[in-house]
């Protein structure tokens, strides 16, 4: 089975992955690091604009990866090198999370405001339609608000890349920028399934951080083919509900029916049972 993504010499390679080195970075990580992933949104208008910003030496900001809305990935900093994405930050007794973490930026405008005409506007005054808007309450806020929705392709790629990073570097912690800099930052926001990401990737690891046998956990399965369609019902005649799952993804099996399994990954849907184990 050919993997969708691989890491070679601390660089990501695979489908729709490009390298655009940024001059904005520090030294190599200390031994045993990185052990954390920090998720962000770009609060920008496009992948290209965000990459340009993070490659400008005057801005002194960067991340390891930027994931676009079509699932494209741009790597700016090698995974063994400190990027400048967390700023003033703290988590579980540590400060300055740049020294410990891989930073992943997702192309997303962030919070939106609704004007008198019913349009949803970003801080840079771009209007978004209703299907591009997520309404929900931020973990650090008391009231619901409007947020730029992430795409299914974008979320699936984020899950797959984070899974590979966890396997390669023994990642023990996945956090949002909003958690390590509360009150100062709000990314990735409520539109991103942050809790599901870390539960799916970290809950099947023991206290030392080594992988446990996920096959021994009841109602889980692993995708055994490079790409597996996830459909709205138990049959090939049902339409896909999201981009295909990738090989090695761990899914939660909810139901089984005549050779099909209803699974939960980023979304819920049906897959052919013979392609999960």
């Amino acid at each position: 089975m050919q993997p969708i993504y691989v890491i070679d010499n601390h660089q990501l390679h695979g489908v729709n992955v490009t390298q655009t080195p940024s001059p904005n970075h520090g030294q190599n990580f200390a031994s045993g690091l990185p052990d954390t992933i920090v998720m962000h949104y770009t609060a920008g208008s496009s992948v290209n604009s965000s990459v340009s910003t993070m490659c400008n030496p005057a801005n002194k900001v960067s991340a390891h990866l930027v994931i676009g809305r079509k699932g494209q990935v741009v790597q700016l900093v090698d995974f063994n090198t400190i990027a400048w994405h967390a700023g003033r930050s703290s988590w579980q007794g540590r400060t300055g999370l740049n020294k410990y973490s891989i930073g992943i930026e997702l192309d997303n405008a962030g919070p939106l405001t609704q004007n008198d005409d019913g349009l949803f506007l970003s801080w840079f005054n771009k209007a978004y339609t209703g299907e591009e808007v997520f309404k929900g309450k931020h973990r650090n806020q008391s009231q619901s608000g409007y947020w730029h929705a992430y795409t299914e392709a974008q979320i699936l790629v984020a899950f797959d890349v984070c899974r590979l990073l966890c396997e390669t570097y023994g990642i023990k912690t996945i956090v949002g920028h909003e958690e390590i800099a509360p009150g100062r930052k709000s990314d990735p926001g409520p539109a991103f399934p942050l809790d599901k990401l870390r539960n799916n990737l970290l809950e099947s690891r023991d206290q030392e951080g080594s992988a446990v046998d996920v096959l021994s956990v009841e109602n889980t399965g692993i995708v055994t083919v490079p790409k597996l369609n996830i459909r709205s019902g138990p049959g090939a005649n049902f339409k896909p509900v999201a981009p295909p799952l990738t090989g090695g993804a761990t899914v939660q099996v909810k139901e089984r029916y005549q050779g099909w399994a209803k699974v939960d990954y980023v979304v819920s849907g049906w897959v052919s049972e013979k392609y999960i184990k």
Side-chain angles (χ1 to χ4, degrees):
M1 179 181 68
Q2 288 295 109
I4 301 300
Y5 302 109
V6 297
I7 293 174
D8 181 35
N9 196 27
H10 306 292
Q11 292 186 345
L12 184 71
H13 301 277
V15 178
N16 293 326
V17 178
T18 57
Q19 303 288 328
T20 304
S22 171
N24 302 333
H25 59 78
Q27 299 177 340
N28 287 356
F29 286 108
S31 177
L33 299 174
D35 62 9
T36 300
I37 294 173
V38 180
M39 303 301 298
H40 305 259
Y41 57 53
T42 61
S45 60
S46 69
V47 168
N48 290 340
S49 68
S50 296
V51 169
S52 178
T53 295
M54 287 187 277
C55 286
N56 186 337
N59 293 324
K60 298 182 179 181
V61 63
S62 63
H64 292 88
L65 301 177
V66 182
I67 299 177
R69 300 186 65 77
K70 295 181 179 179
Q72 70 272 44
V73 184
V74 182
Q75 182 164 13
L76 307 180
V77 179
D78 289 355
F79 295 131
N80 66 334
T81 303
I82 295 171
W84 299 336
H85 58 95
R88 299 189 312 276
S89 52
S90 63
W91 185 254
Q92 297 182 346
R94 288 173 164 178
T95 60
L97 269 290
N98 283 338
K99 301 189 298 289
Y100 309 101
S101 62
I102 291 171
I104 298 179
E105 296 270 359
L106 298 113
D107 178 21
N108 183 281
L112 306 174
T113 57
Q114 189 174 26
N115 66 12
D116 294 338
D117 296 325
L119 297 174
F120 298 93
L121 302 177
S122 65
W123 70 270
F124 46 87
N125 210 36
K126 181 178 178 179
Y128 295 90
T129 57
E131 59 268 21
E132 298 176 284
V133 178
F134 176 91
K135 184 177 182 181
K137 188 173 74 172
H138 193 281
R139 67 179 69 240
N140 296 337
Q141 298 172 356
S142 59
Q143 295 182 338
S144 293
Y146 297 108
W147 303 81
H148 191 196
Y150 296 91
T151 67
E152 294 291 357
Q154 192 174 32
I155 294 173
L156 284 168
V157 167
F159 272 54
D160 288 336
V161 169
C162 285
R163 174 167 51 81
L164 179 59
L165 290 170
C166 288
E167 294 170 353
T168 303
Y169 295 100
I171 298 296
K172 301 178 179 66
T173 303
I174 300 175
V175 292
H177 203 185
E178 64 204 17
E179 295 176 303
I180 63 174
R184 188 173 70 86
K185 294 294 182 179
S186 59
D187 50 321
F192 183 77
L194 178 61
D195 292 326
K196 179 177 284 189
L197 172 66
R198 56 187 161 209
N199 288 342
N200 280 11
L201 299 185
L202 300 178
E203 68 180 2
S204 61
R205 305 179 73 87
D206 64 19
Q207 292 182 349
E208 285 72 41
S210 60
V212 300
D213 183 6
V214 295
L215 296 181
S216 67
V217 181
E218 186 178 0
N219 294 327
T220 64
I222 297 177
V223 176
T224 61
V225 289
K227 290 187 177 182
L228 178 60
N229 285 325
I230 180 166
R231 301 180 181 275
S232 60
N237 56 312
F238 289 91
K239 293 182 178 180
V241 296
L245 304 179
T246 57
T250 301
V251 296
Q252 298 296 316
V253 180
K254 302 297 185 182
E255 300 178 38
R256 296 180 187 271
Y257 178 76
Q258 295 185 356
W260 291 80
K262 187 175 184 180
V263 301
D264 186 27
Y265 186 56
V266 175
V267 297
S268 293
W270 292 83
V271 300
S272 177
E273 195 173 35
K274 65 183 178 181
Y275 298 125
I276 58 173
K277 66 176 182 179

